[in-house]
Amino acid sequence: MPGLRTNLTSLGQLCNDGLHVVLTKADLRAYPAGAISTNGIAPVVRGERNASTSMWDIPLGSSTLPPPTTPAGTAFSATVTDPTATTHNIVAAKNLEQLANWYHRALFSPRPSTLLKAIAKGHFRSWPGLTQQLINKHLQPSINTALGHMKLVRQGQRSTKKAPFAAWTLSLADEEEDMFQPVFTEEMEAGAMYTKIVGSHDITDKMYADTAGPFPITSAKGNRYFRITYVVDANAILVVPMKDRQRPKT
């Protein structure tokens, strides 16, 4: 409601707490359960109708309410108390830098760009001294913001220097132990590829193939089958899409 400056109370919550709420043109009264029909029972909560807002105002001070009375045999008892506001410690900011850092930490260390947008929208009008000028000029970089609210990926974490080239050589003396050991040599050109043919008696020259399909859905290129081939010596699985069960075109 425009112009409303007070908190709202749910009548449904009062009913859920076991009270009977009576609304009239002049006031509001809440009685304990079963106490409405009993004469002489004072309400535990009472408020008056506000002519300007057409709503019922309930005072929070206990001195404005009569002491509640409970009839014999009634287990319900309610009291309204006004807690005394106390301040245990006050630490004043010595400068604007401390004020900016305190506000930033009180808001769980958000990104400065997010905080500036919120200030520009007027979300902190009731916070004394919290302005865009304060944040732009006096807010110091925060480690908590870097850990939990990083806007960009941190740079400079990995080296960009080229690693020395590892050339693979075969030593006949170590053939039974470790045939392929990386050897770092400065003579090798970085980025070049060197190969060496090694004879082996374990080559099987075997391969297995099968055609899978048809699949229930045709691909965008009209394929409904797959030719799957497994090469034993290379330990490789090759898959070729096909439109039908005939030999795939290469």
Side-chain angles (χ1 to χ4, degrees):
M1 176 180 294
L4 187 63
R5 294 293 184 271
T6 57
N7 298 328
L8 298 178
T9 301
S10 172
L11 297 181
Q13 184 62 44
L14 295 178
C15 296
N16 293 337
D17 293 337
L19 300 179
H20 289 289
V21 181
V22 178
L23 299 176
T24 64
K25 184 178 180 180
D27 60 0
L28 174 148
R29 296 172 182 269
Y31 297 88
I36 296 182
S37 60
T38 304
N39 296 329
I41 300 300
V44 294
V45 177
R46 185 173 62 186
E48 297 182 355
R49 187 76 175 273
N50 191 323
S52 60
T53 62
S54 298
M55 304 182 70
W56 290 266
D57 294 337
I58 301 176
L60 297 180
S62 58
S63 59
T64 59
L65 294 177
T69 58
T70 304
T74 304
F76 182 85
S77 177
T79 58
V80 179
T81 59
D82 184 15
T84 303
T86 58
T87 302
H88 299 282
N89 190 14
I90 297 179
V91 179
K94 298 181 180 180
N95 49 52
L96 295 179
E97 180 179 332
Q98 290 185 359
L99 180 62
N101 293 332
W102 188 89
Y103 276 141
H104 186 251
R105 294 174 184 177
L107 295 170
F108 301 99
S109 303
R111 294 182 301 180
S113 58
T114 303
L115 181 57
L116 291 173
K117 291 179 182 179
I119 296 175
K121 293 181 180 180
H123 296 328
F124 300 99
R125 294 177 181 176
S126 61
W127 294 43
L130 184 54
T131 61
Q132 290 182 320
Q133 182 180 2
L134 177 70
I135 300 303
N136 287 325
K137 188 175 181 180
H138 299 284
L139 181 62
Q140 300 299 316
S142 173
I143 298 179
N144 296 329
T145 302
L147 293 176
H149 303 277
M150 294 181 64
K151 187 175 182 180
L152 298 176
V153 178
R154 187 179 293 275
Q155 304 296 324
Q157 299 298 306
R158 296 179 178 84
S159 176
T160 57
K161 296 181 180 180
K162 294 183 179 180
F165 179 75
W168 294 87
T169 60
L170 176 63
S171 177
L172 296 178
D174 301 331
E175 184 175 359
E176 296 181 354
E177 298 179 0
D178 298 326
M179 296 180 60
F180 300 98
Q181 293 292 338
V183 178
F184 296 93
T185 61
E186 298 180 355
E187 299 178 357
M188 298 295 182
E189 182 181 355
M193 178 181 293
Y194 299 88
T195 59
K196 190 171 185 178
I197 300 176
V198 180
S200 175
H201 302 285
D202 297 331
I203 298 178
T204 61
D205 292 331
K206 292 183 179 180
M207 59 183 298
Y208 303 91
D210 190 13
T211 302
F215 292 96
I217 299 177
T218 304
S219 67
K221 295 184 178 181
N223 297 315
R224 295 191 63 188
Y225 298 86
F226 283 104
R227 172 63 63 85
I228 304 174
T229 304
Y230 172 65
V231 183
V232 177
D233 297 326
N235 192 24
I237 300 176
L238 308 177
V239 180
V240 179
M242 300 186 304
K243 295 183 179 180
D244 48 40
R245 299 183 68 90
Q246 297 179 1
R247 182 176 181 180
K249 298 180 181 180
T250 57

